[in-house]
Amino acid sequence: MPITYHEKERIFKIDTQRTSYIIGLADRPGYAGHVYYGARVQDAALAHLMRIHEPPYVPSQNAREKLSFMDSFPMELPAHGLGDFRGDALRVRTEGGHTALELKYVSHEITAKKEALPGLPATFGKDAQTLKILTEDALCGVQAELSYSIFADSDAVMRSLRIINCGREPVWIEKICSASFDMDDQGYELLTLHGGWAKERHISRSPVTFGFQGVSSYRGESSHQHQPFLALLGKGADQEHGEVYGLHLVYSGNFSASVYKGQYEQLRIMLGIGEEDFCWKLEPGEAFQAPEAVLVYSAEGLGRMSRTYHDLYRNHLIRSACQKKPRPVLINNWEATYFDFDEKKLYAIAKQASKAGIEMLVMDDGWFGARSSDNCALGDWYVNERKLKGGLKKLVDRVNALGMKFGIWFEPEMVSPDSDLYRAHPDWAIAIPGREAGLCRCQYVLDLSRKEIRDYVFESITRILDSANIEYVKWDMNRQLADLGSLGLPADRQGELSHRYMLAVYELQERLLKRYPKLLLENCSGGGARFDPGMLYYSPQIWCSDDTDAIERLMIQEGTALIYPLSAMGAHVSDCPNHTVGRVTPFETRGYVALAGTFGYELDITKIPAQDREMIPKQVAMYHRYHKLVAEGDYYRIASYAENHIYDCYMTVKKDRSEALLTYIQVMMQPNGHSRKICLKGLDPDKRYRVKRFCMDSGKEVSYGPKQAFYGDTLMKAGLLAETLWGDFRGVLLHITEA
Ligand code: DGJ
């Protein structure tokens, strides 16, 4: 049994194939303490690791030093106010204004299932087990239910928390983490993903020092700037070696991820909804569900952590009907035309694209209301028939007649001040009464916490989707939340707005998918500001970044692939000079880099150089040939351009290890150099493989290096030689197949 309760020792043991997570009950049985998380161990009787037999001892034996106990005990859910000064995972205010909670064990249950979390995205699937530990504060009647789930085919541990008000008065949750645990520091490093617009999810590593460190977002979205994720890396951890603890929040709004190193060189790791601006009122009898946190421990470096997240998300989080199907190669008109298009331009793009084998046209921003720039018309979701003469259906039918699917862009959460919607309902925007709300990209955010506004948004989308054969929606969101105020909430519930807003977005996407179960939904937020596991639950792919430059993308995609499956990364080939950085890279290389994601085009195919246009059918064929391997394979990072500043290299390996694809991008040419030795990864040491290069000119595979087959161990240890390519920004795709 992977989850067991050892009554005599008062120990809960959660075992996955490679890991153990152990919780103990201390002080008859009292507090739930964190005993151990790491590589799988055989023993359960490990309560001594909570140090309850060392001074200051549990309060029943040494009440005199209760605060010292509270401040050193490895609390599984540290609550505020009783002497634990290392950071709270839970803070609840009572009507009397007090904020201290003493949570003690009440009961537990172990079930053979993984439940859905009401209103929230979460992992799902069969062959699961869940442990729930119910704790309670006897004075105010607040209960905290800690939940831990595992799936038979994964090493991840899913944690979440539910707060139930069993008291007689309302309480206010001021802070709530979904996961928290304490452990001794062993010289860990902190890894986070940071960035900004057009430079999302770059990897940052720093030593863990005393005090608090961490990342957060208070922008109402998971954000360009930070990812709801942190990892602790043991000494010397790299792609294959060393300990790694990853924590990732299945949530798309404000979050906080932190580590605290205290006086005894112990660490407390916490992850949950961001506490600033958050305050949730719970009436007697009501419950609050916190989002799910996904914990992954790897004793085999970052690579194993990445692959564990990839498999978990592919098998247990992305529930779209499109997940296991090849995604259509799309062409999006954003970088091709921006707002300057009509049905003629779009049709011309589609016609040329269909000849090149592209399978879907996506009409981006600018098709509705009076939208001719980003200054107006958000909210007016009716087709601009001056732009699309003959209407949407006519265009879609014509595109379909070319053998192509049709997709459309929406930004449903927003309203422009210059729009019919805003003129009719100025009170629908999030704002503080009496204070002029700040604009961002000249738009306000609709107060989706109000049902009538959600209904308007839903009906606006469905009216369009029902009017033509639309098979894909790009759901965009181009600003952060500020000036938080809702006319739908009383004063003591204004602190609920950010979270209610996220619940509303989830509800809308849920409704949409229920009504159009086959719809391919791609989430987007000014590029990749909402690239998070919450969005992945609804959309199998997310637009990675507005930066489509192949070289910038190497770093963005490396950080993204650290925790997300490649099948989720929206990646397109765009025109040069690149619209974000002005860089000129070979069309071929742009194709290799976009192949690491969902693959598509973001350019005016009627205007690009003829030699680029001629390459498109070959790139599309390349995508069809290798996409399954990329989307479903195991991902191995071999070299990082972000680290070495010269070249990038990664592989995907088929699960049965019969086949692999290696991408090698020489970013900077070095003069007077030799070929570079590359040690492959993930192959079967005892299988023999042949290495071939994909030749873009012929669309065929040609031999690369010696023609003979080599054992996997040879290719992984002795390596192969990657020849020097002429010039900067050059790439090679190697197909490694079992001989
Ligand atoms: C931001 C997105 O990331 C772009 O791809 C594009 O859809 C624009 N918004 C349109 O406004």
Side-chain angles (χ1 to χ4, degrees):
M1 285 286 282
I3 302 185
T4 44
Y5 178 56
H6 302 257
E7 189 146 12
K8 200 165 123 247
E9 296 87 6
R10 293 192 228 131
I11 287 281
F12 299 96
K13 188 162 186 274
I14 302 166
D15 288 328
T16 68
Q17 210 188 322
R18 297 185 189 80
T19 73
S20 294
Y21 191 111
I22 303 177
I23 304 150
L25 298 173
D27 209 11
R28 329 171 170 160
Y31 310 104
H34 184 73
V35 175
Y36 171 77
Y37 183 33
R40 186 163 170 163
V41 294
Q42 298 181 55
D43 288 304
L46 297 175
H48 61 281
L49 293 178
M50 293 187 285
R51 298 188 170 95
I52 48 179
H53 305 302
E54 290 176 23
Y57 306 114
V58 293
S60 59
Q61 289 172 40
N62 185 14
R64 181 182 175 276
E65 293 302 342
K66 181 173 175 185
L67 260 62
S68 304
F69 171 82
M70 299 305 263
D71 202 28
S72 57
F73 181 71
M75 204 66 89
E76 188 66 13
L77 179 67
H80 181 79
L82 290 178
D84 182 337
F85 302 109
R86 297 164 292 168
D88 326 310
L90 181 67
R91 190 171 65 245
V92 173
R93 186 164 44 83
T94 63
E95 200 158 51
H98 306 121
T99 49
L101 270 192
E102 182 161 41
L103 294 169
K104 291 197 171 175
Y105 170 85
V106 176
S107 63
H108 73 270
E109 65 168 358
I110 298 171
T111 56
K113 62 183 174 197
K114 167 75 175 61
E115 284 171 11
L117 303 187
L120 284 165
T123 57
F124 58 85
K126 299 204 168 68
D127 263 349
Q129 259 197 319
T130 297
L131 161 68
K132 284 185 183 171
I133 302 174
L134 187 67
T135 62
E136 186 179 37
D137 179 286
L139 180 67
C140 65
V142 166
Q143 292 190 336
E145 185 183 70
L146 292 77
S147 151
Y148 305 79
S149 296
I150 51 173
F151 296 107
D153 61 358
S154 174
D155 275 316
V157 175
M158 273 60 63
R159 279 192 63 175
S160 67
L161 183 63
R162 200 162 72 100
I163 304 300
I164 311 123
N165 182 2
C166 295
R168 270 182 255 124
E169 292 169 344
V171 296
W172 287 261
I173 303 170
E174 293 182 338
K175 180 176 182 188
I176 182 163
C177 286
S178 301
S180 159
F181 62 90
D182 292 3
M183 61 184 192
D184 286 15
D185 185 21
Q186 312 217 354
Y188 290 105
E189 260 185 281
L190 174 65
L191 184 153
T192 55
L193 298 173
H194 72 99
W197 174 76
K199 49 178 187 176
E200 298 89 339
R201 292 174 296 287
H202 284 235
I203 295 171
S204 149
R205 285 172 76 153
S206 56
V208 173
T209 55
F210 288 96
F212 282 102
Q213 274 167 281
V215 288
S216 58
S217 167
Y218 295 105
R219 295 167 186 267
E221 56 181 4
S222 47
S223 86
H224 295 103
Q225 288 72 14
H226 300 289
Q227 175 69 202
F229 168 80
L230 64 72
L232 289 180
L233 315 186
K235 277 203 182 109
D238 60 20
Q239 283 296 322
E240 278 134 72
H241 312 99
E243 286 197 301
V244 180
Y245 292 87
L247 283 86
H248 206 185
L249 194 65
V250 186
Y251 191 57
S252 313
N254 294 342
F255 73 89
S256 165
S258 66
V259 53
Y260 175 78
K261 182 169 170 177
Q263 57 184 332
Y264 306 116
E265 309 213 0
Q266 286 171 325
L267 304 182
R268 169 164 295 168
I269 301 117
M270 292 188 288
L271 177 65
I273 292 181
E275 68 181 296
E276 274 174 43
D277 290 329
F278 177 82
C279 182
W280 192 278
K281 184 178 182 185
L282 264 194
E283 295 285 0
E286 282 183 353
F288 178 86
Q289 177 64 57
E292 182 164 280
V294 179
L295 280 53
V296 170
Y297 170 81
S298 158
E300 296 158 60
L302 286 160
R304 166 76 62 193
M305 178 199 74
S306 299
R307 292 186 290 280
T308 305
Y309 275 116
H310 292 189
D311 284 339
L312 181 85
Y313 291 167
R314 283 187 294 218
N315 299 328
H316 297 289
L317 182 66
I318 306 172
R319 69 277 173 67
S320 163
C322 307
Q323 161 62 2
K324 296 237 152 72
K325 296 188 189 141
R327 314 288 161 75
V329 177
L330 65 83
I331 186 157
N332 178 302
N333 75 305
W334 179 241
E335 287 194 28
T337 64
Y338 295 102
F339 295 101
D340 181 19
F341 65 87
D342 58 16
E343 90 290 347
K344 282 201 192 97
K345 263 195 198 176
L346 292 180
Y347 186 72
I349 290 175
K351 197 167 169 195
Q352 191 69 255
S354 71
K355 285 188 200 149
I358 296 175
E359 298 152 313
M360 179 160 72
L361 174 75
V362 174
M363 179 173 66
D364 210 279
D365 192 355
W367 55 266
F368 51 91
R371 183 89 162 165
S372 51
S373 75
D374 57 10
N375 278 330
C376 63
L378 288 172
D380 299 344
W381 300 112
Y382 43 84
V383 176
N384 179 340
E385 298 215 4
R386 263 175 302 148
K387 267 190 178 177
L388 303 186
K389 291 195 188 69
L392 182 60
K393 183 166 177 354
K394 186 170 166 209
L395 174 65
V396 176
D397 288 349
R398 289 183 76 208
V399 170
N400 286 168
L402 293 169
M404 291 178 82
K405 296 173 191 286
F406 190 90
I408 199 166
W409 178 97
F410 282 98
E411 192 172 0
E413 302 163 53
M414 299 292 151
V415 62
S416 308
D418 180 6
S419 66
D420 294 342
L421 180 66
Y422 189 75
R423 281 182 281 275
H425 299 285
D427 59 323
W428 279 17
I430 287 178
I432 296 169
R435 186 193 299 280
E436 194 183 328
L439 287 165
C440 182
R441 210 195 188 203
C442 203
Q443 60 201 54
Y444 296 128
V445 185
L446 287 172
D447 182 0
L448 297 179
S449 71
R450 289 163 61 185
K451 185 169 180 319
E452 70 274 26
I453 305 179
R454 287 203 294 282
D455 287 345
Y456 169 84
V457 166
F458 187 68
E459 278 150 25
S460 305
I461 301 175
T462 55
R463 200 175 340 104
I464 296 292
L465 295 190
D466 290 343
S467 73
N469 182 27
I470 297 170
E471 298 176 72
Y472 160 108
V473 164
K474 178 173 171 187
W475 179 304
D476 204 350
M477 193 270 193
N478 284 295
R479 67 158 284 176
Q480 297 105 47
L481 272 61
D483 301 288
L484 291 178
S486 169
L487 293 179
L489 295 170
D492 62 350
R493 286 191 181 273
Q494 289 291 326
E496 299 176 13
L497 182 55
S498 304
H499 183 59
R500 283 187 184 275
Y501 181 84
M502 263 345 298
L503 294 177
V505 172
Y506 292 148
E507 187 206 286
L508 278 169
Q509 298 206 352
E510 184 77 41
R511 280 166 79 179
L512 194 66
L513 293 175
K514 208 165 180 186
R515 180 153 168 162
Y516 308 100
K518 291 191 189 143
L519 184 74
L520 174 55
L521 183 63
E522 175 156 353
N523 269 292
C524 169
S525 180
R530 249 186 356 200
F531 205 120
D532 57 62
M535 289 285 107
L536 218 48
Y537 180 71
Y538 303 95
S539 62
Q541 58 196 60
I542 305 175
W543 184 227
C544 207
S545 175
D546 275 347
D547 195 335
T548 51
D549 171 65
I551 305 309
E552 293 298 314
R553 274 294 183 122
L554 292 176
M555 295 170 284
I556 296 170
Q557 292 180 184
E558 180 188 356
T560 308
L562 186 72
I563 39 183
Y564 294 100
L566 307 192
S567 61
M569 291 199 294
H572 298 166
V573 174
S574 64
D575 199 9
C576 274
N578 178 266
H579 294 197
T580 307
V581 292
R583 189 176 284 129
V584 177
T585 53
F587 201 73
E588 185 175 335
T589 305
R590 285 175 254 161
Y592 293 147
V593 175
L595 184 66
T598 56
F599 204 74
Y601 293 85
E602 182 107 6
L603 41 74
D604 189 342
I605 191 171
T606 65
K607 291 197 180 136
I608 57 170
Q611 68 268 28
D612 291 355
R613 189 163 43 244
E614 279 155 23
M615 201 184 283
I616 293 180
K618 295 171 193 162
Q619 286 184 332
V620 172
M622 168 188 80
Y623 163 80
H624 286 302
R625 188 169 195 158
Y626 303 120
H627 173 65
K628 210 170 151 58
L629 195 48
V630 173
E632 296 173 10
D634 285 336
Y635 168 80
Y636 290 86
R637 166 100 357 218
I638 294 177
S640 159
Y641 165 63
E643 282 173 17
N644 64 39
H645 308 301
I646 299 170
Y647 73 107
D648 210 55
C649 189
Y650 47 87
M651 289 175 70
T652 50
V653 183
K654 198 170 172 183
K655 289 277 175 196
D656 67 4
R657 297 200 270 178
S658 64
E659 204 187 342
L661 189 73
L662 178 141
T663 308
Y664 175 86
I665 307 289
Q666 174 185 290
V667 180
M668 300 305 287
M669 164 69 172
Q670 290 180 298
N672 192 19
H674 286 295
S675 57
R676 176 165 282 111
K677 198 194 222 188
I678 300 284
C679 290
L680 307 195
K681 293 184 184 176
L683 301 178
D684 183 334
D686 300 321
K687 279 189 172 143
R688 297 177 75 232
Y689 298 91
R690 252 180 250 288
V691 181
K692 292 200 164 168
R693 177 173 72 85
F694 174 74
C695 174
M696 190 62 86
D697 287 339
S698 65
K700 297 207 169 94
E701 291 184 351
V702 295
S703 58
Y704 190 78
K707 285 209 174 71
Q708 77 209 65
F710 294 102
Y711 279 105
D713 64 357
T714 310
L715 291 170
M716 292 192 290
K717 294 197 165 79
L720 60 76
L721 297 178
E723 32 186 80
T724 304
L725 304 161
W726 177 246
D728 296 340
F729 317 137
R730 301 287 312 282
V732 172
L733 204 61
L734 299 182
H735 191 200
I736 299 121
T737 48
E738 193 177 344

